[in-house]
Amino acid sequence: MFDYLTYNNLIALLRLLADIGCVWVVIYYCIKIVRNNSRTIQIFKGILFIFIIRAVASIFGLKTIMMIADLFVTWGFLAIIIIFQPEIRSLLEKLGKTSVFSRISTLTVNERERLVDELVRACSAMSVSKTGALISLEQGHSLSDYIKTGTQMNSMVTSELLCSIFVPGTPLHDGAVIIQGVKIACAAAYFPPTTKDLPSSYGARHRAAVGISEISDSVTIVVSEETGNISIARNGALMVVNEKELREYLNMVTTSALREVAQTQVSADVEQGTQNGILSGYLKGKKRKQKKEGTRLPKVKEANLDELEKQIHSTHEEETPEIAEEKQKAVRSMKMAYNKSSSKSLKDALDEEKKKSRRTTKSTAAKAETAAPQDKKLEPLEVNYTPKPRRRSTSPKEKVKEGNNG
Ligand SMILES: Nc1ncnc2c1ncn2[C@@H]1O[C@H](COP(=O)(O)OP(=O)(O)OP(=O)(O)O)[C@@H](O)[C@H]1O
């Protein structure tokens, strides 16, 4: 049997596997493109129909039908390239623009926090004043082509600057702001609008946001001039968020360790949006995908668990054996709780996770403090402790009696 395991055979086997892998990736992405776009689903059905007719005609020997079907199949390849031209273009653009180190991933924790804070403050203010805004955060894919379409700025992101850019009537308010790292790279940029069917309430600004999110991995925030709603566009999906959700989402996106959580959360949030009728075709696909990707949840949760575990371990610097034991207990119970929640939706799991982390961190700190006899701060509490007096009668008669006895 081992005679077959020659060097040449091994190389041939590896080549075969690489070949199969590449074909699998191509087919996977083709199916993904078809599934994510209602227009392509119709075209795909049409192609399938022609193949079925061709097969039926060949079974029954219908030569003319076969000839016509053959013509369709022969020229079909060219037709597919023409019909799918926007999808093919966006795929190639995505491939070409991917860079290994995005500017946002090189920011320090303070810079990220400041960036999120300024963005949230600006969006909330513009939401209240119903000032229309379109802000895109560059991630791995370069947005330099779109920066060229606007007015270049290279200024630090501040909420005041963002708010003043979008004041109606000012020269830069028309178009999009692009943020690279902590800098506003440009204002008044033009984004290619999506060709997707969006609800009629969404106009050009939202179309542009979805458009840029389809051809890049950027995170785009839209503030609606009409409703004051804040939405996030990512991976071709649009979701309405409130101030808190925006902050949480941006925190997740800008923290590289949690980036995967954020991406999966789009699916969870998008799934929620199904009920609101936003991009329903796309959402169905995402929902199915999320079900299939159930196996990814523990990985996502583990990413968060590590963070939370670190938080718990950092609550007390001077660590006695008792404190260490309490911390271990808290981490263990937190992990058990997460494992239990694996059957729930990701959004629920994340919510529960956050609540748990707050509780466990607090209780660890509290328990750790009581478990530390050498901690001088705790002494007065124990000395001054007196049992709670029993509830006394408050009737006037009794009070007089008590007064006489006293
Ligand atoms: N392709 C684009 N790229 C960048 N900005 C755009 C693009 N198209 C429109 N905009 C911006 O959107 C504004 C028009 O928004 P419009 O009212 O049509 O959109 P909307 O989605 O209904 O948003 P709103 O809810 O704020 O009214 C334009 O003045 C311009 O600033």
Side-chain angles (χ1 to χ4, degrees), residues 316-330:
H316 264 244
E317 269 158 23
E318 278 174 36
E319 197 167 274
T320 62
E322 289 89 342
I323 295 176
E325 201 188 323
E326 285 301 329
K327 283 180 181 178
Q328 287 300 338
K329 264 190 209 166

Side-chain angles (χ1 to χ4, degrees), residues 134 173-176 189-191 193 202-206 208 223-226:
L134 183 59
H173 86 283
D174 238 358
Y190 178 83
F191 289 159
Y202 291 126
R205 202 188 312 271
H206 290 82
V223 182
S224 168
E225 199 173 6
E226 270 170 48

Side-chain angles (χ1 to χ4, degrees), residues 51-202:
F51 273 106
I52 292 169
I53 287 185
R54 166 79 177 74
V56 172
S58 105
I59 290 167
F60 292 104
L62 309 174
K63 288 199 174 138
T64 320
I65 301 283
M66 260 170 72
M67 198 187 76
I68 295 170
D70 277 343
L71 265 179
F72 270 106
V73 174
T74 317
W75 290 100
F77 185 67
L78 198 65
I80 283 176
I81 291 181
I82 295 167
I83 295 166
F84 287 103
Q85 186 245 342
E87 281 79 10
I88 294 171
R89 198 181 57 189
S90 84
L91 195 76
L92 293 177
E93 270 177 2
K94 267 190 185 179
L95 281 176
K97 284 177 183 168
T98 307
S99 61
V100 182
F101 298 110
S102 64
R103 247 168 261 232
I104 208 138
S105 66
T106 57
L107 300 182
T108 64
V109 177
N110 279 351
E111 282 175 331
R112 280 177 206 186
E113 277 175 6
R114 222 196 114 259
L115 175 69
V116 171
D117 212 47
E118 297 292 342
L119 279 168
V120 172
R121 274 203 295 142
C123 292
S124 308
M126 289 190 283
S127 163
V128 171
S129 62
K130 291 197 177 168
T131 308
L134 183 59
I135 304 166
S136 206
L137 269 82
E138 184 188 80
Q139 304 271 325
H141 300 161
S142 166
L143 295 181
S144 22
D145 284 351
Y146 306 101
I147 292 171
K148 283 181 205 147
T149 65
T151 307
Q152 305 207 4
M153 290 182 66
N154 199 30
S155 328
M156 285 299 287
V157 176
T158 63
S159 59
E160 291 81 9
L161 183 55
L162 284 172
C163 288
S164 44
I165 286 173
F166 289 108
V167 170
T170 53
L172 297 179
H173 86 283
D174 238 358
V177 157
I178 297 177
I179 293 176
Q180 281 182 322
V182 282
K183 296 261 174 94
I184 297 180
C186 78
Y190 178 83
F191 289 159
T194 179
T195 51
K196 256 182 196 164
D197 294 331
L198 293 191
S200 57
S201 55
Y202 291 126

Side-chain angles (χ1 to χ4, degrees), residues 267-284:
S267 323
D269 288 337
V270 160
E271 184 193 344
Q272 251 198 346
T274 323
Q275 285 114 34
N276 306 333
I278 309 165
L279 306 181
S280 55
Y282 175 80
L283 304 173
K284 276 183 205 155

Side-chain angles (χ1 to χ4, degrees), residues 290-338:
Q290 204 189 327
K291 264 189 200 162
K292 271 189 188 170
E293 286 182 351
T295 46
R296 280 178 63 190
L297 291 183
K299 195 176 157 199
V300 169
K301 285 194 290 164
E302 264 159 36
N304 259 333
L305 276 181
D306 288 344
E307 285 276 315
L308 298 168
E309 204 174 326
K310 268 185 222 153
Q311 269 180 35
I312 289 175
H313 283 300
S314 63
T315 49
H316 264 244
E317 269 158 23
E318 278 174 36
E319 197 167 274
T320 62
E322 289 89 342
I323 295 176
E325 201 188 323
E326 285 301 329
K327 283 180 181 178
Q328 287 300 338
K329 264 190 209 166
V331 170
R332 244 178 284 138
S333 63
M334 183 177 73
K335 281 184 178 167
M336 269 166 63
Y338 295 154

